[in-house]
């Protein structure tokens, strides 16, 4: 029921051109040299498999390559005897005798011999040149380390420089000779004998894989296969640690929190807002009953009332957790912002401006200050003691307004017009606008600060990319919104899903990348105003409704038995006001 627009392109492999190879750096091997030349005068026929033995059901895996990467994996895992036995039994050596000799010469520090052997291996001149640079640089650095300055200088002048590769690096090596300072030599990467194995790893990146089988190639292939399975799984919502090599990975709908596990009934009026703490151990809710509640999430996943926060004289619009989750802000409807201690439930400070009301609240990333939107359409920032630090006047926010600040503290985001969102760069004093054709009712910032989820009056949710060019990358449709402010959120593993409330009393869930509508969760008897997905438990979702309840959603397991508890007492002997539907392990 949703669609995707301007989605990010699939990842593609990039092959560097010859020009890019000329910028080669020994510290950054990110290319694979050509093994043939475009200038060959004669066209070459396509390679034929001939009598080469293939394995696998589809017959596309060369047996020799397959055996070699298994052998390489055995050696990498420390099973040297087993690797040698596989070479002997299969009759397929990991490396040819000439390559083995070359590798041993490198490990022994026989630099001149290794360069000579390199020319006999049978690779392209380009590969020989880059591999020679790696070997000769190591030779130069070891000579310099042994204080054989003249020999090092001769190597640089007569062997390295004539290769005409990476002149910037050559100048850095020359500086090591001129300064001869330990700190300068260290900055050049002065090696020890034990670093010769690292030289082999660098050589693997500049020589064809058929010559030196890449380290951990088998692991790379397996990880790629798992990545493909995971990326093609529409309902993927499990940790990577749960992936298995024994079976193909495929999540079902049961991996999305869709079963009501608890109903929290402590509020006396409509519940307008709720939010999990950053560490997932708490949930805070705000209600039209002029109170906010801090709920505690136990290790078994059950949620208990911890503190009822009383003090606002008007309905509580929103809440905001401090970066360390030790304090909570609550904002009354065009009233004041209160700061509470989570442990004790005590009100620590009240933020207000004479003659105007506050309409939103949030924290500086360092936890040393707070910000709020004001009814005069300004944005104000205070330190914890209430001293005003900054105030942006003008059309910065609306009377009903969401606000957010990026993790680096540089950008403040707010709804500044009915159909526009302001991205205000505090340092550069630069403003950008996200402009929609419809009235904006709310928004949510992604965990990585790169995307903004925007709810619109026309019953659509737009996903905006706010890094670089501002653009809509996905749209989500299907939920109902005619009168009220409905909020949505990111959630699940790597925030791969979008959840939203709806006026038809259901919770809606979409796949973030494709825009596909996955689930509609019934249960509430009034409009669902807000949803929050636990940032640490991908199988825990909370929803707040006009029916005065909060529902905690978890995995739909067949063995979950319905269990109703009318009242439970916390440490103060007061009812915590939840109905427990089942136990759910959280971590």
């Amino acid at each position: 029921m949703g669609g995707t627009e301007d989605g990010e392109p699939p990842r593609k492999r990039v092959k560097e051109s010859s020009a890019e190879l000329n910028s080669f750096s020994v510290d950054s091997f990110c290319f694979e040299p050509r093994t043939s030349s475009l200038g060959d005068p004669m066209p070459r026929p396509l390679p034929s498999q001939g009598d080469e033995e293939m394995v696998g059901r589809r017959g596309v895996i060369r047996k020799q390559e397959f055996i070699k990467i298994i052998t390489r994996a055995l050696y990498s895992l420390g099973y040297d005897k087993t690797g040698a036995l596989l070479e002997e039994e299969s009759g397929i050596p990991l490396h040819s005798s000439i390559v083995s000799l070359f590798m041993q010469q490198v490990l022994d520090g026989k630099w001149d011999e290794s360069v000579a052997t390199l020319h006999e291996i049978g690779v392209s001149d380009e590969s020989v040149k880059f591999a020679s640079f790696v070997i000769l640089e190591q030779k130069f650095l070891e000579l310099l380390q042994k204080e054989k300055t003249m020999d090092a200088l001769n190597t640089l002048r007569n062997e390295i420089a004539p290769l005409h590769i990476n002149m910037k690096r050559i100048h850095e090596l020359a500086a090591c000779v001129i300064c001869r300072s330990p700190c300068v030599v260290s900055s050049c990467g002065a090696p020890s004998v034990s670093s010769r194995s690292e030289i082999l790893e660098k050589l693997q990146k500049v020589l064809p894989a058929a010559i030196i089988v890449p380290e951990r190639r088998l692991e790379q292939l397996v990880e790629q296969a798992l990545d493909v399975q995971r990326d093609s799984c529409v309902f993927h919502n499990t940790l990577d640690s749960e992936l298995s090599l024994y079976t193909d990975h495929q999540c079902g709908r049961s991996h999305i929190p869709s079963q009501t596990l608890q109903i929290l009934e402590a509020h006396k009026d409509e519940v307008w807002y709720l939010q999990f703490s950053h560490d997932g151990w708490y949930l805070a809710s705000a209600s039209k009953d002029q109170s906010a509640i801090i709920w505690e999430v136990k290790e078994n996943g059950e949620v208990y009332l911890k503190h009822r926060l009383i003090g606002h004289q008007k309905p509580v619009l929103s809440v905001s957790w401090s970066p360390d989750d030790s304090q909570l802000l609550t904002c009354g409807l065009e009233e004041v912002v209160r700061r509470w201690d989570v442990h004790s439930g005590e009100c620590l400070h009240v933020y207000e401006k004479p003659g105007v009301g506050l309409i939103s609240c949030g924290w500086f990333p360092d936890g040393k200050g707070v910000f709020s939107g004001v009814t005069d359409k300004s944005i104000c920032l205070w330190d914890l003691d209430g001293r005003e630090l900054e105030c942006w006047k003008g059309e910065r926010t609306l009377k009903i307004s969401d606000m957010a600040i990026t993790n680096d503290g540089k950008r403040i985001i707010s709804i500044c017009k009915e159909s526009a969102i302001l991205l205000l760069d505090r340092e550069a004093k630069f403003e950008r606008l996200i402009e929609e054709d419809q009235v904006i009712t709310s928004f949510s910032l992604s965990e990585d600060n790169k995307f903004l989820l925007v709810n619109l009056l026309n019953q659509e949710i737009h996903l905006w990319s706010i890094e670089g060019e501002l653009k809509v990358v996905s749209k989500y449709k299907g939920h109902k919104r005619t009168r009220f402010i409905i909020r949505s959120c990111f959630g699940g593993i790597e925030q791969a899903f979008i959840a939203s409330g709806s006026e038809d009393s259901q919770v809606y869930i979409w796949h973030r990348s494709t825009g596909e509508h996955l689930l509609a969760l019934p249960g509430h008897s009034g409009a669902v105003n807000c949803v929050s997905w636990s940032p640490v438990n991908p199988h825990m979702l909370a929803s707040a409704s006009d029916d005065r309840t909060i529902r905690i959603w978890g995995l739909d397991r067949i063995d979950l038995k319905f269990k109703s508890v009318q009242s439970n007492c916390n440490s103060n002997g007061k009812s915590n006001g939840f109905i427990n539907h089942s136990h759910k392990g959280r971590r």
Side-chain angles (χ1 to χ4, degrees), residues 220-360:
Q220 291 175 1
L221 291 173
V222 173
E223 287 174 349
Q224 289 173 12
L226 291 177
D227 286 343
V228 169
Q229 293 179 26
R230 181 180 56 192
D231 294 345
S232 63
C233 178
V234 175
F235 295 97
H236 180 71
N237 197 33
T238 58
L239 299 173
D240 286 348
S241 59
E242 297 180 31
L243 299 178
S244 173
L245 300 182
Y246 296 130
T247 57
D248 289 345
H249 174 72
Q250 185 63 50
C251 293
R253 292 177 184 269
S254 60
H255 288 83
I256 306 297
S258 57
Q259 172 75 27
T260 297
L261 302 183
Q262 288 180 241
I263 302 177
L264 312 179
E265 297 185 307
H267 281 294
K268 300 175 182 178
D269 209 329
E270 299 169 358
V271 188
W272 287 354
Y273 195 93
L274 80 171
Q275 186 182 74
F276 278 103
S277 60
H278 302 93
D279 61 12
W281 290 111
Y282 297 102
L283 175 69
S285 57
S287 171
K288 185 180 179 182
D289 66 9
Q290 302 181 10
S291 76
I293 293 178
I294 296 177
W295 307 86
E296 185 172 2
V297 182
K298 300 296 185 179
E299 287 196 21
N300 65 359
E302 292 185 354
V303 181
Y304 290 83
L305 189 151
K306 183 176 179 64
H307 297 297
R308 186 187 300 274
L309 308 179
I310 304 296
H312 286 283
Q313 302 303 309
K314 293 185 177 182
V316 183
L317 275 180
S318 62
V319 299
S320 179
W321 291 95
S322 65
D324 64 359
D325 294 327
S326 67
Q327 298 180 55
L328 181 75
L329 295 179
T330 59
C331 181
L333 176 62
E334 299 184 16
E335 190 205 17
V336 300
V337 169
R338 290 177 173 266
R339 177 164 59 90
W340 307 83
D341 179 80
V342 172
H343 178 70
S344 66
E346 177 188 359
C347 182
L348 302 176
H349 195 85
V350 178
Y351 303 90
E352 56 188 331
K353 283 180 72 71
V356 293
L358 307 185
I359 55 175
S360 57

Side-chain angles (χ1 to χ4, degrees), residues 451-470:
F451 297 91
L452 208 61
L453 199 58
V454 181
N455 286 60
L456 301 175
L457 191 67
N458 68 342
Q459 303 184 111
E460 287 188 8
I461 303 172
H462 291 178
L463 180 63
W464 282 80
S465 170
I466 59 175
E467 285 287 303
E469 180 187 358
L470 300 176

Side-chain angles (χ1 to χ4, degrees), residues 85-98:
L85 183 61
L86 180 56
E87 288 190 77
E88 180 182 354
E89 187 173 348
S90 66
I92 301 174
L94 179 60
H95 299 115
S96 65
S97 58
I98 188 71

